[in-house]
DNA sequence: GAAAATATAAACAGCTTACTCACATTTAAC
DNA sequence: GTTAAATGTGAGTAAGCTGTTTATATTTTC
């Protein structure tokens, strides 16, 4: 088997110049995120997205060369948002409790619009050429911020990266589960998630 | 819209009587789990399953009335296994540390064969008639065990159920993430997951 | 050796899908 | 006001895939 050769994979077929075309593209991406979140990758069709966006299918293909380019755009937009949440939460030095609270609040906010988009993007949507790179780079920077946070609030220097991964995936798991049950804004959940973070980072229950 | 009327939905079209038909059915379910785990619901087709099982498509339809009945069988088998893991871990009273270690070990083992099956079953696979019930009942019993464990190791009686949900979804998140990265058997991950559980249940980092 | 159980795979009808194209409308430039 | 570029439309298409049936072949049981 020869090494997989990357397709040309243009990101956009045409750059929107006027205001209305910018709005069209935005509407398509937004509707795409909605469809992807609500019906999963299996139900994600270009026709459905166009209809949900209140736009003809032709308009969609005027800007996006194919289906994958569209998913890519959706992915990029979502990941950027999530990343900025973590970046902000871990920006200045602050007590652990504040960090946890802000992180929880931000993550929940980021997932409130399209509750299951994140997981669908991570698990179901294919990462064919072009997105795998963005995907990996996102994951790397994502983990980077978590690692920094762990290093900041944790004594030992051991297993820092593993801890960051455990922490981030635990948070994602809780949020994903809550999203599925429409419980994202339950205050006791937010509190408990915050305490999970604090407890793990304080780590008094764990004599190494 | 009228209330959804349940289809007849027979569980099996014919009960296997001879040894080889039992083996056939088993092979189909096993292959189905593999296909579902590896390609997701979108790639889950009866023909593909039959081929993966080394069995003709006709044989599949001799026992399973339709696609959904097959998913149901897969779901039932997997959920039973996971449930028995938790049941065993929380069986007798034992120190928190032991409980955590055994739970982690069991969950990892249960997910090692088909790493992402659990999530696919929970998120992607449809729960049409017949399975929603099984699904809900599984979730209930699942949570029940976690709740019992939380109550056992935690002082306060407040928020016990929420804690159970947070704990279970956090664990699932970590395991799911590790599975995706083929890191399920990394020992430092197991250790850290154990410590997450202990820290949360000990809960010293969290002054309520 | 007959009847019941089990296995086979070609065939099909229907549906969905991603995507194109010829044309209509709107905006901007002069 | 005219023109050319930008943008929008949606019926149409061709291909692929799906779940399922059926008529036939093989194996087991008694």
């Amino acid at each position: 088997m020869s090494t997989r050769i990357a397709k040309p994979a243009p990101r956009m077929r045409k750059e929107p110049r006027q205001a209305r075309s910018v709005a069209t593209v935005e509407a398509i991406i937004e509707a795409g995120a909605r469809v992807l979140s609500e019906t999963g990758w299996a139900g994600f069709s270009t026709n459905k997205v166009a209809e949900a966006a209140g736009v003809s299918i032709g308009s969609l293909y005027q800007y996006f060369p194919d289906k994958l380019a569209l998913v890519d755009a959706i992915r990029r937009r979502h990941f950027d948002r999530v990343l900025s949440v973590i970046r902000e939460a871990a920006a200045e030095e602050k007590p652990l409790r504040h960090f946890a609270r802000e992180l929880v609040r931000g993550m929940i906010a980021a997932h409130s619009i399209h509750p299951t988009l994140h997981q669908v993007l991570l698990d179901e949507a294919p990462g064919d050429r072009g997105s795998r790179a963005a995907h990996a780079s996102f994951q790397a920077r994502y983990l980077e911020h978590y690692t920094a946070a762990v290093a900041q609030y944790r004594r030992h220097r051991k297993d820092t990266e593993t801890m960051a991964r455990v922490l981030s995936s635990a948070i994602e798991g809780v949020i994903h589960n809550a999203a599925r049950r429409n419980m994202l804004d339950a205050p006791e959940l937010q509190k408990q998630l915050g305490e999970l973070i604090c407890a793990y980072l304080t780590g008094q229950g764990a004599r190494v």
Side-chain angles (χ1 to χ4, degrees), chain A residues 158-175:
Chain A
K158 253 182 51 179
D159 282 335
T160 315
E161 196 176 311
T162 304
M163 285 189 70
R165 249 192 260 268
V166 166
L167 186 64
S168 73
S169 53
I171 294 175
E172 269 183 33
V174 172
I175 288 191

Side-chain angles (χ1 to χ4, degrees), chain A residues 139-177:
Chain A
Q139 292 275 35
R141 282 190 293 163
Y142 192 67
L143 196 70
E144 217 171 84
H145 287 292
Y146 269 104
T147 309
V150 168
Q152 183 177 342
Y153 296 107
R154 203 53 161 76
R155 287 279 207 283
H156 346 161
R157 295 273 161 219
K158 253 182 51 179
D159 282 335
T160 315
E161 196 176 311
T162 304
M163 285 189 70
R165 249 192 260 268
V166 166
L167 186 64
S168 73
S169 53
I171 294 175
E172 269 183 33
V174 172
I175 288 191
H176 174 51
N177 181 277

Side-chain angles (χ1 to χ4, degrees), chain A residues 15 67 82 100 170 179 194:
Chain A
E15 218 57 40
K67 203 185 174 182
V82 170

Side-chain angles (χ1 to χ4, degrees), chain A residues 48 62 71 135 141 165:
Chain A
K48 207 182 284 183
Q62 203 133 35
V71 196
H135 202 285
R141 282 190 293 163
R165 249 192 260 268

